[in-house]
Amino acid sequence: MSERGVLLVNLGSPASTEVADVRRYLNQFLMDPCVVDLPWLPRRLLVSMILLRRPKASAEAYASIWWEEGSPLVVISQRVRDQLRSRLDMPVELAMRYGEPSIEQGILALVQQGVSEILLMHQYPQFADSTIATAVREARRVIDQHGLKVHLTELPAFHDRPDYLDALAESARPHLEGGFDHLLFSYHGLPERHLRKADPTGGHCLSSPDCCERPSPAHARCYRSQCKSVSREVARRFNLGDDQWSLAFQSRLGRAKWIEPYTEAELERLAARGVKRLLVMCPAFTADCIETLEEIGDRGREQFINAGGEELVLIPCLNDHPQWMDVLADWARREPVSA
């Protein structure tokens, strides 16, 4: 039996499109202090207010993109798990930070198979407390709670790894070869305060309009800088000029200031500029989910066409693209043990 096992971690999904299941999922998600970073009482009050109306609207959105097999994110993640199992001589389990299968279930399943080291292979290219950090913290909590004699190795953010970037570009290549006017990279947004809190220098992020372009240790944990880096690298692989691509941030929640530009505004701007055929990539995710399929593929497309565009093509995420599966398998074999 292999000493190493892989815990493949993604965000998660409601168990179904029933309002009660969506409410349960949103409550778990939004009550995570890494997501809504407020003290417990104001966070509880805010989330309780959100849960009065949002579950019904979210349930309708989920239902519009739900597959017969279940949630697209979960189904795709299961396919990725199966592909890794076929490529690796080590146990591979799937876990979701919110919903099921849980991180606790995944870790206990690996331990039962006799592994002494778990590689937490999250599916987040860019670093954020609300993605990578919370998944790692939950895994460590489970290991401590159960007193497990197992070593946890964490996959770092992989936004700058050439093999990831090559796979991302290759998965999108057929869509660009069909012709287009503009390529938009749309990433999940974050409140600006999350960037400042993650800044190890305490004063670089958002200190100037060009902070992401000026070298700094802050970039190792700066979500916005890493999103810009991915966009530049993919655009470079396609030899795109600066006027042929742009990036924006989607999925805002609440009244706080989120990182800009906003995707809704960018769709309007591009349509007004005369862009007719727009391609959209969502590289904050490695698997299609509601934020890509419904928010961009449905609502975003409708907004762009109503603003004067003619066609918006949502390029699928990496999903279980063969080249991406080979990259993940290679990382599982070669990722060094964390100190």
Side-chain angles (χ1 to χ4, degrees):
M1 177 59 66
S2 171
E3 293 183 354
R4 169 174 281 189
V6 173
L7 186 67
L8 184 72
V9 179
N10 218 319
L11 183 71
S13 173
S16 76
T17 59
E18 295 297 321
V19 173
D21 283 337
V22 174
R23 179 177 289 108
R24 187 177 303 110
Y25 168 78
L26 289 176
N27 181 69
Q28 183 187 11
F29 172 58
L30 296 173
M31 282 304 295
D32 183 346
C34 290
V35 176
V36 179
D37 54 339
L38 297 174
W40 187 89
L41 183 57
R43 183 169 74 252
R44 180 69 272 173
L45 293 173
L46 174 63
V47 172
S48 295
M49 292 177 61
I50 292 173
L51 294 180
L52 291 175
R53 296 183 178 180
R54 191 175 180 90
K56 184 176 185 298
S58 295
E60 293 173 354
Y62 268 102
S64 71
I65 53 90
W66 208 257
W67 293 353
E68 288 187 10
E69 308 100 302
S71 163
L73 177 65
V74 174
V75 174
I76 292 168
S77 298
Q78 290 169 340
R79 294 174 184 172
V80 173
R81 175 203 61 197
D82 294 344
Q83 288 289 334
L84 288 181
R85 284 176 174 174
S86 71
R87 286 168 164 78
L88 295 171
D89 185 23
M90 64 182 74
V92 180
E93 295 294 337
L94 174 63
M96 298 290 165
R97 177 61 185 89
Y98 314 104
E100 293 190 349
S102 67
I103 287 178
E104 182 174 35
Q105 291 169 330
I107 288 177
L108 293 178
L110 287 172
V111 171
Q112 289 171 1
Q113 295 172 72
V115 305
S116 58
E117 181 209 351
I118 294 175
L119 172 61
L120 192 155
M121 188 174 278
H122 60 80
Q123 294 296 282
Y124 307 120
Q126 301 86 19
F127 175 84
D129 280 338
S130 56
T131 53
I132 295 176
T134 187
V136 172
R137 290 173 192 172
E138 174 64 8
R140 293 196 179 282
R141 183 197 68 78
V142 169
I143 291 171
D144 290 344
Q145 177 181 317
H146 290 273
L148 302 176
K149 304 300 182 183
V150 63
H151 183 84
L152 183 69
T153 290
E154 308 155 14
L155 178 70
F158 47 83
H159 60 96
D160 57 351
R161 294 196 178 190
D163 47 2
Y164 155 70
L165 293 164
D166 289 343
L168 181 61
E170 191 60 30
S171 70
R173 189 175 301 279
H175 298 274
L176 275 77
E177 290 175 345
F180 63 100
D181 296 329
H182 193 86
L183 173 62
L184 173 64
F185 297 90
S186 182
Y187 295 84
H188 198 289
L190 282 180
E192 286 189 347
R193 67 177 182 273
H194 282 212
L195 299 187
R196 294 189 176 96
K197 287 176 64 175
D199 181 357
T201 72
H204 179 81
C205 288
L206 303 175
S207 63
S208 67
D210 66 341
C211 59
C212 288
E213 285 67 49
R214 290 188 287 111
S216 170
H219 295 174
R221 293 171 62 89
C222 178
Y223 178 80
R224 187 176 73 159
S225 171
Q226 294 172 9
C227 291
K228 289 187 174 185
S229 175
V230 169
S231 302
R232 284 194 301 267
E233 286 298 316
V234 173
R236 183 179 65 82
R237 282 163 169 77
F238 289 124
N239 297 313
L240 299 182
D242 291 344
D243 63 338
Q244 293 180 286
W245 67 275
S246 58
L247 84 163
F249 298 90
Q250 62 193 64
S251 308
R252 283 175 292 156
L253 175 66
R255 298 179 179 179
K257 180 69 178 300
W258 285 50
I259 50 180
E260 295 179 313
Y262 300 142
T263 296
E264 302 99 307
E266 184 66 3
L267 291 174
E268 297 281 346
R269 185 187 75 84
L270 292 171
R273 201 188 78 180
V275 170
K276 297 302 182 184
R277 189 170 196 268
L278 177 65
L279 304 183
V280 183
M281 294 179 65
C282 297
F285 310 99
T286 60
D288 292 333
C289 56
I290 190 171
E291 285 81 2
T292 57
L293 297 173
E294 192 275 335
E295 185 173 355
I296 301 299
D298 289 347
R299 280 186 287 148
R301 177 181 290 115
E302 182 179 4
Q303 180 191 359
F304 178 67
I305 292 174
N306 288 341
E310 294 181 357
E311 184 180 15
L312 184 153
V313 176
L314 174 62
I315 298 176
C317 292
L318 281 161
N319 294 334
D320 57 348
H321 188 277
Q323 187 168 332
W324 176 230
M325 296 301 93
D326 290 340
V327 169
L328 286 179
D330 186 60
W331 291 353
R333 299 186 194 99
R334 299 176 183 272
E335 192 66 26
V337 176
S338 302

